[in-house]
Amino acid sequence: MKRLLLMGPPGAGKGTQASYLAEKLGVPAISTGDIFRAHVSAGTSLGTQAQAYMDAGEYVPDEITNNMVAQRLRNPDATNGFLLDGYPRTLIQVAHIDDTLATNGHRLDAVLLLEADTEELVSRLVARAAIESRADDNGTVVRRRQEIYAAQTAPLVEEYRRRGILVTVDGTGTVETVRQRILASLSEASSGRPMH
Ligand code: AMP
């Protein structure tokens, strides 16, 4: 299992888990949110295009996001695998990553879904706002991000379940607890037992 996607609602702890898991698997963690933030900090034209969407809690348009990911996946470090964090987030992005991978005879091996309670997530995000002072973590934007996830990204869960590659993981509890659950679920999935 070398081509993975980690998904879950905003605040479910994807970023933290993605870095650990990617290191463990020896693949790069590719976070579209991190790449966009790096572009914003560096003041690139991509950063300028993305910033208004990010600050409002909206998704950056698919075309911009897809091009950026296609370019990132061409980097030699992603040849033998990767852990995507926060991409794809729309059905159009799903089609795009499918096509990109199919060009080289590849496909996603598994999609890990971190499940968590929305109320708990909102308080986590508000707490994180205090620490990181992210412009996209104020109360209104936190709610908007959850709405967008429900409308645009939740449908991906059914698509990946249908394909038989969805692995659901309880995302509540400490970072270490969730980490252990992820490892256990992944090894279960890669041993060929049915996923749930
Ligand atoms: P994240 O750190 O993953 O929560 O991403 C922060 C912000 O970057 C999101 O709220 C979006 O504005 C933008 N973003 C990240 N990934 C995507 C994506 N796959 N599609 C569209 N916008 C994205």
Side-chain angles (χ1 to χ4, degrees):
M1 297 250 179
K2 287 283 187 186
R3 293 183 180 82
L4 305 176
L5 158 63
L6 185 60
M7 65 179 290
K14 293 187 296 292
T16 313
Q17 299 296 343
S19 318
Y20 168 82
L21 189 59
E23 200 183 317
K24 176 114 186 150
L25 297 172
V27 296
I30 300 179
S31 156
T32 39
D34 282 353
I35 301 175
F36 280 132
R37 278 185 288 278
H39 276 276
V40 170
S41 304
T44 67
S45 73
L46 177 59
T48 311
Q49 283 176 279
Q51 185 161 25
Y53 297 101
M54 296 172 74
D55 287 351
E58 306 288 333
Y59 285 169
V60 176
D62 286 327
E63 201 188 332
I64 296 176
T65 309
N66 284 337
N67 287 337
M68 183 181 83
V69 172
Q71 196 184 334
R72 175 64 187 85
L73 290 178
R74 280 197 289 272
N75 193 311
D77 71 341
T79 309
N80 294 317
F82 49 76
L83 175 62
L84 290 168
D85 161 13
Y87 178 94
R89 266 167 146 126
T90 66
L91 289 167
I92 289 173
Q93 293 177 11
V94 168
H96 185 265
I97 186 82
D98 285 348
D99 289 350
T100 306
L101 295 179
T103 311
N104 296 309
H106 297 142
R107 62 193 162 100
L108 285 178
D109 297 317
V111 174
L112 279 160
L113 171 67
L114 281 188
E115 294 184 304
D117 176 70
T118 311
E119 287 308 309
E120 193 191 316
L121 296 183
V122 169
S123 33
R124 265 201 226 176
L125 285 175
V126 171
R128 187 168 78 183
I131 301 164
E132 297 179 7
S133 38
R134 278 172 51 158
D136 60 354
D137 269 353
N138 69 57
T140 314
V141 176
V142 164
R143 272 185 294 279
R144 184 68 189 140
R145 293 175 78 215
Q146 300 290 348
E147 275 170 23
I148 300 261
Y149 179 86
Q152 302 219 40
T153 306
L156 274 59
V157 172
E158 284 321 310
E159 171 59 20
Y160 288 128
R161 199 193 307 277
R162 197 183 57 74
R163 295 186 190 182
I165 58 169
L166 186 74
V167 181
T168 54
V169 178
D170 177 359
T172 58
T174 65
V175 169
E176 185 54 34
T177 306
V178 176
R179 178 179 290 176
Q180 293 308 327
R181 284 193 201 117
I182 290 176
L183 293 177
S185 305
L186 262 188
S187 83
E188 193 180 323
S190 52
S191 74
R193 272 172 274 164
M195 299 186 196
H196 42 80

